[in-house]
Amino acid sequence: MVSIMDKIIKTGIGVLLLKDNKVLLGHRVPKQIDTGGIYQPDSWTCPGGKQEYDETVLETAIRETKEETNLLLKDVQVFTATDEFQPDRHFVTIGVISSSYEGELKIMEPNKIDEWKWFELNNLPNNIYTPSKNMIEEYKKRGNIK
């Protein structure tokens, strides 16, 4: 039996990367292994991942985006924070936002993401990864879309 003291809240970072009223989403492979995050294979997700010890939120956002997309973020700001629950895990997801980057978009981790695609904010796919969906909905709620 696991006591409440044995449970750990982890931090995940999601990146709302915007370009011309579009958001970058990656398709999570359908048979993805569970890496200990919020497990939702075969969904569309923003770049991001788990924060490492001794790494700031913004450093995590820049590192994870580069590792996953080959894009180097230039201007990153904290945007939102939400709690994400599954039966055996709890994450606090810190959403960051950026529209400034350089580099060529590439699939860098094909065992996790099989496609990156820019989606119009008013024409998103149905199956969006819950933390990413929460960030996008907050962005839209604040009236930031045209």
Side-chain angles (χ1 to χ4, degrees):
M1 183 170 148
V2 177
S3 76
I4 193 74
M5 297 302 290
D6 293 328
K7 295 186 178 185
I8 298 171
I9 299 173
K10 296 182 181 179
T11 306
I13 310 300
V15 179
L16 192 63
L17 188 54
L18 303 167
K19 175 180 86 168
D20 301 325
N21 212 36
K22 295 178 182 177
V23 62
L24 182 65
L25 297 175
H27 182 256
R28 301 177 119 211
V29 297
K31 296 185 189 277
Q32 181 180 19
I33 61 167
D34 185 349
T35 61
I38 301 299
Y39 186 61
Q40 293 177 341
D42 199 22
S43 61
W44 289 90
T45 186
C46 293
K50 296 178 216 66
Q51 186 175 13
E52 295 178 359
Y53 185 80
D54 205 24
E55 182 179 56
T56 70
V57 168
L58 300 182
E59 288 169 345
T60 301
I62 292 166
R63 175 184 55 78
E64 285 285 352
T65 301
K66 182 69 174 169
E67 287 176 1
E68 294 179 357
T69 69
N70 190 50
L71 300 177
L72 179 61
L73 298 179
K74 291 298 191 181
D75 180 30
V76 187
Q77 299 173 14
V78 173
F79 174 67
T80 189
T82 56
D83 287 290
E84 313 293 344
F85 298 98
Q86 286 192 336
D88 62 342
R89 57 197 84 173
H90 176 183
F91 269 84
V92 173
T93 300
I94 299 172
V96 301
I97 190 167
S98 179
S99 59
S100 179
Y101 59 89
E102 62 183 34
E104 180 185 343
L105 181 61
K106 294 180 183 177
I107 298 168
M108 302 296 288
E109 298 176 320
N111 59 324
K112 295 179 183 177
I113 301 290
D114 57 17
E115 177 182 11
W116 287 106
K117 185 174 177 182
W118 293 97
F119 286 92
E120 296 280 344
L121 285 161
N122 287 321
N123 190 22
L124 298 168
N126 292 327
N127 190 20
I128 299 179
Y129 181 64
T130 302
S132 297
K133 183 177 182 181
N134 291 338
M135 285 191 309
I136 293 167
E137 286 176 356
E138 181 63 25
Y139 182 77
K140 291 169 86 171
K141 183 171 80 174
R142 293 183 190 186
N144 292 312
I145 65 167
K146 298 171 184 157

